[in-house]
Amino acid sequence: MDGNGRWAAERGLPRAEGHRRGVEALRRTVRAAGDLGISVLTIFSFSAENWSRPASEISDLMGLLRRFIRNDLAELHQANVRVRIIGERDDLDRDIRRLLVEAEDLTRGNDGLTLVVAFNYGARQEIAQAARRIAVEVAQGRLQAEAVSPELFSRYLHAPDIPDPDLIIRTSGEQRLSNFLLWQAAYSELIFVPINWPDFDRAALENAIAEYRRRERRFGGLMVAETGS
Ligand code: IPE
Ligand code: MG
């Protein structure tokens, strides 16, 4: 979700207004994803690197997360959405940590859309913590170094049961991953849309999915026509 600040600047509005409108785009997108039968939607809400922003903007973003969970959790639960959180929780305020646990606990039994909220998330940090935990197990003799395969490694990531993303959409025209799901994105299709996040809507999501469907995914293999099957 990128481009909140630019959306606001283009209108002579404060960045906070861009973030507020960004939450509205998020509500639309979650609803649309549920309607379209998407099983998992992961949103990059706050990156481990976003702490370098001015304190007032960090506080705006934390406030929006608090309000999003307080105001929208009941509705998400009603809509059978299961909420999961990935990221480093220890650096977050205690009340936010509590809200995150509350959101996960309340919606644990839901089997509609899974909404994965990446908050204080960084892919390199996630990979490093996995390596650290594996190293401890090897050092304690509970795991053989030879057993460390990509499949095993994946089990030490934040949400090992969530499948790798088929499609990653980045808004605002920037064309990079910015430390998002680096391990899981190995074979994801990447789509960069020129619109700023507050303008993202159902039509934009449907367009991205239509483009995804036109892509041919080979996973390092051959095109279907070349296999003769
Ligand atoms: C994305 O919009 C929102 C978050 C990082 C939470 P930005 O704040 O990055 O907006 P730009 O990139 O300055 O336009
Ligand atoms: Mg940005």
Side-chain angles (χ1 to χ4, degrees):
M1 304 188 289
D2 199 9
N4 292 354
R6 279 163 282 170
W7 183 94
E10 282 165 12
R11 289 159 179 80
L13 297 168
R15 293 179 59 84
E17 182 59 16
H19 294 315
R20 205 185 60 73
R21 295 289 291 261
V23 175
E24 288 175 19
L26 172 60
R27 289 194 184 101
R28 287 198 294 274
T29 305
V30 170
R31 232 173 282 135
D35 293 348
L36 293 169
I38 289 168
S39 54
V40 182
L41 174 69
T42 301
I43 53 163
F44 201 1
S45 334
F46 191 86
S47 82
E49 288 74 31
N50 283 150
W51 295 107
S52 65
R53 295 192 178 195
S56 63
E57 177 154 348
I58 290 172
S59 131
D60 288 339
L61 291 169
M62 295 295 161
L64 282 174
L65 175 72
R66 283 190 182 93
R67 248 169 294 149
F68 179 68
I69 295 180
R70 288 198 190 115
N71 298 339
D72 291 53
L73 182 58
E75 198 182 311
L76 291 170
H77 183 43
Q78 199 82 40
N80 198 22
V81 173
R82 179 171 182 191
V83 179
R84 301 279 300 270
I85 321 287
I86 56 171
E88 189 48 64
R89 300 196 193 193
D90 293 350
D91 314 329
L92 301 174
D93 287 349
R94 185 197 299 258
D95 72 303
I96 290 189
R97 292 206 305 265
R98 252 198 311 259
L99 283 171
L100 299 181
V101 170
E102 184 189 331
E104 288 185 315
D105 284 350
L106 178 70
T107 62
R108 194 173 304 280
N110 293 345
D111 59 5
L113 173 74
T114 296
L115 175 65
V116 182
V117 181
F119 200 85
N120 194 21
Y121 173 83
R124 287 180 171 179
Q125 290 83 342
E126 178 186 32
I127 292 167
Q129 68 79 34
R132 239 175 358 250
R133 282 167 52 211
I134 290 170
V136 167
E137 294 200 12
V138 171
Q140 293 175 343
R142 286 188 285 132
L143 183 68
Q144 295 282 308
E146 295 71 30
V148 181
S149 61
E151 291 70 29
L152 179 132
F153 196 93
S154 295
R155 295 208 290 272
Y156 290 79
L157 299 172
H158 289 318
D161 54 315
I162 300 281
D164 291 342
D166 292 311
L167 166 63
I168 293 179
I169 304 170
R170 182 173 186 153
T171 59
S172 87
E174 304 295 348
Q175 302 195 11
R176 51 180 177 268
L177 282 175
S178 299
N179 207 13
F180 183 59
L181 300 180
L182 297 181
W183 175 280
Q184 298 87 338
Y187 282 100
S188 302
E189 294 296 327
L190 308 180
I191 292 184
F192 301 100
V193 299
I195 62 177
N196 289 323
W197 175 252
D199 287 331
F200 197 82
D201 59 10
R202 177 181 299 253
L205 179 63
E206 285 176 349
N207 287 341
I209 292 170
E211 184 180 338
Y212 166 81
R213 290 208 170 108
R214 289 192 294 270
R215 302 244 181 122
E216 179 154 21
R217 304 185 75 195
R218 297 166 57 175
F219 301 97
L222 299 180
M223 286 191 291
V224 176
E226 293 169 331
T227 64
S229 60

